[in-house]
Amino acid sequence: MTHPSTNKWQSHKLVIASQNKGKIIEIADLLVPLGFVVSSAADYTAVEPEETEDTFEGNALIKSRFVRGETQLAALADDSGLVIPALGGEPGVYSARWAENGDFGIAMAKVQARLTADMDTSAYFVCALAFIDSDGKESVFTGTCHGHIQFPARGLSGFGYDPIFVPNGETRTFGEMPYVEKKQYSHRSHAFKQFQEFLLAS
Ligand code: IMP
């Protein structure tokens, strides 16, 4: 299906700045109906730039600028993570790096060890999307999802920190929700909604 008012983006080539198959499928799913012809960074290079910024927005821009530099095409990158204010914002931009060898059991155990019983369990997910159009114009969109951390981990759905995160208004963790329900709350959906509104308005 092509959105009728997005002709500007019809046949517009866009590269998703990620090597992560799951992420590429989810993002392509949102972009193809708008008319984009989508490919991924993996089609051009196996190299990923180092994420050296201390903000999600900064790291998303590093990734999209790198892919634009490699391909000269429009590029879209996302950077996301879990912020726990009682832990000074950790794991934050280091969310993926807390999972040694990709093991989120380890990452969640680190959260549990640091978040002692007397601490505020409030937390939020952040997703920053950095888009660079074919003329090189940069735009950044940020979505958040607020909730709290709970232990023990519950549920097998989703990925990452989903089994310990309960969004506001829910009693279930993201790990206990089917993807379609998580999508209603998710930081990624909120960032994408802003991006889609931008595309439709431009
Ligand atoms: P990125 O690939 O550098 O953006 O790393 C994102 C990391 O943040 C993931 O590996 C997860 O650890 C965490 N994260 C981001 N979004 C979610 C989510 O929706 N659920 C659970 N963990 C998430």
Side-chain angles (χ1 to χ4, degrees):
M1 188 186 76
T2 302
H3 198 290
S5 55
T6 53
N7 289 345
K8 176 173 176 189
W9 308 107
Q10 194 63 47
S11 306
H12 205 92
K13 289 186 181 156
L14 184 147
V15 186
I16 299 169
S18 176
Q19 304 278 338
N20 178 323
K21 281 202 184 97
K23 227 185 224 184
I24 294 164
I25 291 168
E26 274 187 29
I27 296 176
D29 189 47
L30 292 155
L31 295 174
V32 170
L34 295 171
F36 286 102
V37 176
V38 176
S39 58
S40 84
D43 298 329
Y44 300 89
T45 174
V47 178
E48 287 192 280
E50 214 184 319
E51 296 176 26
T52 51
E53 292 289 332
D54 58 7
T55 62
F56 297 103
E57 290 81 0
N59 284 328
L61 276 167
I62 286 178
K63 292 186 252 187
S64 56
R65 284 175 186 153
F66 175 78
V67 165
R68 175 160 166 80
E70 294 286 305
T71 65
Q72 298 307 311
L73 296 172
L76 179 73
D78 90 329
D79 196 60
S80 57
L82 176 67
V83 177
I84 306 176
L87 300 184
E90 289 189 300
V93 292
Y94 303 104
S95 293
R97 283 168 265 184
W98 272 31
E100 289 159 34
N101 300 316
D103 185 341
F104 278 92
I106 294 176
M108 290 188 282
K110 282 186 192 165
V111 173
Q112 188 165 23
R114 287 169 172 72
L115 201 61
T116 50
D118 55 321
M119 284 181 166
D120 178 9
T121 59
S122 303
Y124 55 94
F125 278 116
V126 179
C127 173
L129 286 177
F131 175 60
I132 309 183
D133 71 15
S134 48
D135 297 326
K137 183 171 170 278
E138 298 180 347
S139 310
V140 179
F141 310 90
T142 306
T144 55
C145 173
H146 286 261
H148 70 271
I149 299 296
Q150 67 86 47
F151 288 99
R154 292 197 315 248
L156 299 171
S157 304
F159 67 99
Y161 299 87
D162 280 346
I164 60 168
F165 183 82
V166 180
N168 286 346
E170 266 290 339
T171 53
R172 293 171 300 168
T173 67
F174 269 168
E176 294 175 300
M177 287 181 205
Y179 174 61
V180 282
E181 282 189 61
K182 176 184 168 183
K183 230 169 119 175
Q184 292 174 347
Y185 296 101
S186 115
H187 43 307
R188 206 162 287 104
S189 301
H190 289 144
F192 260 96
K193 194 157 180 287
Q194 292 173 48
F195 178 47
Q196 282 174 328
E197 280 163 8
F198 162 85
L199 293 172
L200 293 170
S202 54

